Amino acid sequence: MSRLYGFAVLMLSACATSTAPVQTGIFDSAETMFAEARAKAISIAAPVFRANAPYCSRTQTIDFTDEPAFDICAQQIRLLHGAAANAHTEGQFIYVYDGAVLALSKDETAFLIAHELAHDILGHNMAAGSYPQAEIEADRVAVAVMHRSGFSPRAVPPFLRRMGFETSPESDSHPAGIMRIETVENAILDLGL
Ligand SMILES: [Zn+2]
């Protein structure tokens, strides 16, 4: 499946989740760490992009010789060096950080990607910047995006609390963190998860 995810690179910033440092010292080198993070990011983004293809604004068709062709969301992942546990997108790319991808669980990383993809599904123009209501909507849709992809959104509220969202204040671009936690919790309940 490597051909499928040769596009695997990530991008994250407008939707900053937090900037908590992560432990990266266990890796032999930056190159090894990047390769490990890339493989993990691909393994998470692949099911997200595939399961949500019916909802994305743009898709691309993957046509292997040994299996039926299928569509995936046309977004691409861009993996950056860094430890910030957040993501951002301008529409085409979803950026994430290698240190964070390695430090976070698969469900937590899937949430970062799902939230950015949710902006596209909702038709938000992320190149123009974000605003609190758009972030709330993206969090709500991200829960469904994760569930469709086989990841557990129930991992998200504890993740956000660990990142300090309970006390993070509202800004011009983002709602108060506690509102985001409550939004995710309500979306989980609405889905009966
Ligand atoms: Zn966002």
Side-chain angles (χ1 to χ4, degrees):
M1 298 291 280
S2 61
R3 203 154 56 109
L4 206 187
Y5 307 112
F7 63 79
V9 266
L10 312 180
M11 165 171 182
L12 327 168
S13 79
C15 306
T17 302
S18 100
T19 55
V22 296
Q23 176 64 45
T24 58
I26 59 172
F27 297 95
D28 296 331
S29 68
E31 291 73 22
T32 299
M33 176 177 152
F34 193 82
E36 296 262 356
R38 182 177 183 279
K40 183 174 177 180
I42 290 169
S43 74
I44 296 166
V48 173
F49 287 177
R50 183 166 182 173
N52 289 280
Y55 309 95
C56 294
S57 66
R58 292 163 293 113
T59 61
Q60 58 180 309
T61 300
I62 304 299
D63 191 1
F64 292 114
T65 55
D66 56 351
E67 65 178 290
F70 58 90
D71 288 342
I72 64 170
C73 298
Q75 272 73 12
Q76 297 183 22
I77 297 295
R78 285 243 160 119
L79 189 62
L80 307 175
H81 279 306
N86 63 44
H88 63 266
T89 186
E90 39 45 298
Q92 175 59 36
F93 297 104
I94 295 174
Y95 297 89
V96 294
Y97 294 90
D98 55 1
V101 167
L102 291 172
L104 299 177
S105 73
K106 286 194 168 187
D107 289 326
E108 291 164 352
T109 303
F111 173 68
L112 296 182
I113 295 171
H115 173 99
E116 303 307 327
L117 191 63
H119 281 304
D120 172 74
I121 291 171
L122 288 159
H124 296 159
N125 178 8
M126 297 311 288
S130 195
Y131 49 93
Q133 187 57 34
E135 294 308 307
I136 289 291
E137 291 171 5
D139 282 340
R140 183 180 303 116
V141 170
V143 169
V145 167
M146 288 181 72
H147 182 57
R148 281 197 288 265
S149 313
F151 294 99
S152 176
R154 293 179 65 180
V156 178
F159 169 51
L160 296 179
R161 287 193 175 88
R162 199 170 84 243
M163 295 293 112
F165 273 53
E166 272 179 308
T167 55
S168 67
E170 181 176 3
S171 69
D172 288 345
S173 63
H174 285 69
I178 190 66
M179 282 189 62
R180 300 187 63 180
I181 293 172
E182 290 172 356
T183 296
V184 170
E185 288 176 335
N186 288 333
I188 290 169
L189 288 174
D190 288 346
L191 284 178
L193 302 178

